[in-house]
Short mmCIF file of all heavy atoms in Angstrom, two decimals:
data_model
loop_
_atom_site.label_atom_id
_atom_site.label_comp_id
_atom_site.label_asym_id
_atom_site.label_seq_id
_atom_site.Cartn_x
_atom_site.Cartn_y
_atom_site.Cartn_z
N ASP A 502 -47.91 -66.81 173.32
CA ASP A 502 -46.66 -67.56 173.31
C ASP A 502 -45.76 -67.06 174.42
O ASP A 502 -45.73 -65.88 174.74
CB ASP A 502 -45.94 -67.38 171.97
CG ASP A 502 -46.65 -68.12 170.86
OD1 ASP A 502 -47.27 -69.15 171.16
OD2 ASP A 502 -46.60 -67.63 169.71
N VAL A 503 -45.03 -68.00 175.00
CA VAL A 503 -44.10 -67.65 176.07
C VAL A 503 -42.69 -67.81 175.53
O VAL A 503 -42.20 -68.93 175.38
CB VAL A 503 -44.32 -68.55 177.30
CG1 VAL A 503 -43.34 -68.16 178.39
CG2 VAL A 503 -45.74 -68.42 177.79
N SER A 504 -42.05 -66.73 175.22
CA SER A 504 -40.69 -66.82 174.70
C SER A 504 -39.66 -66.76 175.82
O SER A 504 -38.56 -67.26 175.69
CB SER A 504 -40.45 -65.67 173.71
OG SER A 504 -40.69 -64.42 174.34
N ASP A 505 -40.03 -66.14 176.95
CA ASP A 505 -39.11 -66.04 178.09
C ASP A 505 -39.21 -67.32 178.91
O ASP A 505 -40.18 -67.55 179.60
CB ASP A 505 -39.49 -64.83 178.96
CG ASP A 505 -38.47 -64.60 180.07
OD1 ASP A 505 -37.68 -65.52 180.33
OD2 ASP A 505 -38.51 -63.51 180.66
N SER A 506 -38.21 -68.18 178.80
CA SER A 506 -38.27 -69.48 179.46
C SER A 506 -38.30 -69.35 180.97
O SER A 506 -38.85 -70.19 181.67
CB SER A 506 -37.07 -70.33 179.05
OG SER A 506 -35.87 -69.65 179.35
N THR A 507 -37.73 -68.28 181.53
CA THR A 507 -37.75 -68.09 182.97
C THR A 507 -39.17 -67.90 183.46
O THR A 507 -39.56 -68.42 184.50
CB THR A 507 -36.89 -66.87 183.36
OG1 THR A 507 -35.59 -67.04 182.83
CG2 THR A 507 -36.84 -66.72 184.86
N VAL A 508 -39.99 -67.16 182.71
CA VAL A 508 -41.38 -66.94 183.09
C VAL A 508 -42.13 -68.27 183.08
O VAL A 508 -42.90 -68.57 183.99
CB VAL A 508 -42.06 -65.95 182.11
CG1 VAL A 508 -43.53 -65.82 182.44
CG2 VAL A 508 -41.38 -64.60 182.19
N MET A 509 -41.89 -69.08 182.09
CA MET A 509 -42.58 -70.36 182.00
C MET A 509 -42.25 -71.24 183.21
O MET A 509 -43.14 -71.82 183.83
CB MET A 509 -42.19 -71.10 180.73
CG MET A 509 -42.91 -72.44 180.56
SD MET A 509 -42.47 -73.30 179.05
CE MET A 509 -40.83 -73.84 179.44
N LEU A 510 -40.98 -71.30 183.60
CA LEU A 510 -40.60 -72.14 184.71
C LEU A 510 -41.11 -71.59 186.03
O LEU A 510 -41.55 -72.34 186.90
CB LEU A 510 -39.07 -72.28 184.75
CG LEU A 510 -38.52 -73.17 183.64
CD1 LEU A 510 -37.02 -73.00 183.53
CD2 LEU A 510 -38.87 -74.62 183.90
N SER A 511 -41.11 -70.28 186.19
CA SER A 511 -41.64 -69.72 187.43
C SER A 511 -43.13 -70.00 187.55
O SER A 511 -43.65 -70.22 188.64
CB SER A 511 -41.39 -68.21 187.48
OG SER A 511 -42.11 -67.54 186.46
N GLN A 512 -43.82 -69.98 186.41
CA GLN A 512 -45.23 -70.33 186.41
C GLN A 512 -45.43 -71.77 186.88
O GLN A 512 -46.29 -72.07 187.70
CB GLN A 512 -45.82 -70.15 185.00
CG GLN A 512 -47.29 -70.53 184.87
CD GLN A 512 -48.20 -69.50 185.48
OE1 GLN A 512 -47.78 -68.37 185.72
NE2 GLN A 512 -49.43 -69.88 185.75
N LEU A 513 -44.60 -72.66 186.38
CA LEU A 513 -44.68 -74.05 186.79
C LEU A 513 -44.45 -74.20 188.29
O LEU A 513 -45.17 -74.89 189.00
CB LEU A 513 -43.64 -74.89 186.04
CG LEU A 513 -43.97 -75.30 184.61
CD1 LEU A 513 -42.73 -75.91 183.97
CD2 LEU A 513 -45.11 -76.30 184.58
N LEU A 514 -43.42 -73.54 188.78
CA LEU A 514 -43.05 -73.67 190.18
C LEU A 514 -44.08 -73.04 191.10
O LEU A 514 -44.27 -73.47 192.23
CB LEU A 514 -41.67 -73.05 190.42
CG LEU A 514 -40.53 -73.73 189.65
CD1 LEU A 514 -39.23 -72.97 189.86
CD2 LEU A 514 -40.37 -75.17 190.07
N THR A 515 -44.77 -72.01 190.62
CA THR A 515 -45.82 -71.38 191.42
C THR A 515 -47.00 -72.31 191.61
O THR A 515 -47.62 -72.35 192.66
CB THR A 515 -46.30 -70.07 190.74
OG1 THR A 515 -45.18 -69.19 190.63
CG2 THR A 515 -47.38 -69.41 191.56
N ASN A 516 -47.30 -73.09 190.58
CA ASN A 516 -48.47 -73.96 190.63
C ASN A 516 -48.26 -75.19 191.50
O ASN A 516 -49.22 -75.85 191.86
CB ASN A 516 -48.85 -74.42 189.21
CG ASN A 516 -49.44 -73.28 188.41
OD1 ASN A 516 -49.97 -72.34 188.97
ND2 ASN A 516 -49.35 -73.38 187.09
N ALA A 517 -47.06 -75.54 191.80
CA ALA A 517 -46.79 -76.73 192.59
C ALA A 517 -46.25 -76.32 193.96
O ALA A 517 -45.51 -75.36 194.09
CB ALA A 517 -45.77 -77.62 191.89
N SER A 518 -46.65 -77.09 195.00
CA SER A 518 -46.21 -76.75 196.35
C SER A 518 -44.70 -77.00 196.51
O SER A 518 -44.02 -76.28 197.21
CB SER A 518 -46.99 -77.58 197.37
OG SER A 518 -46.86 -78.96 197.08
N THR A 519 -44.18 -78.04 195.88
CA THR A 519 -42.75 -78.31 195.90
C THR A 519 -42.33 -78.68 194.49
O THR A 519 -43.12 -79.07 193.66
CB THR A 519 -42.41 -79.47 196.85
OG1 THR A 519 -43.13 -80.64 196.44
CG2 THR A 519 -42.79 -79.13 198.29
#
Side-chain angles (χ1 to χ4, degrees):
D502 289 329
V503 180
S504 57
D505 186 345
S506 57
T507 305
V508 175
M509 181 179 73
L510 288 167
S511 65
Q512 178 75 17
L513 281 170
L514 298 175
T515 300
N516 289 336
S518 55
T519 58

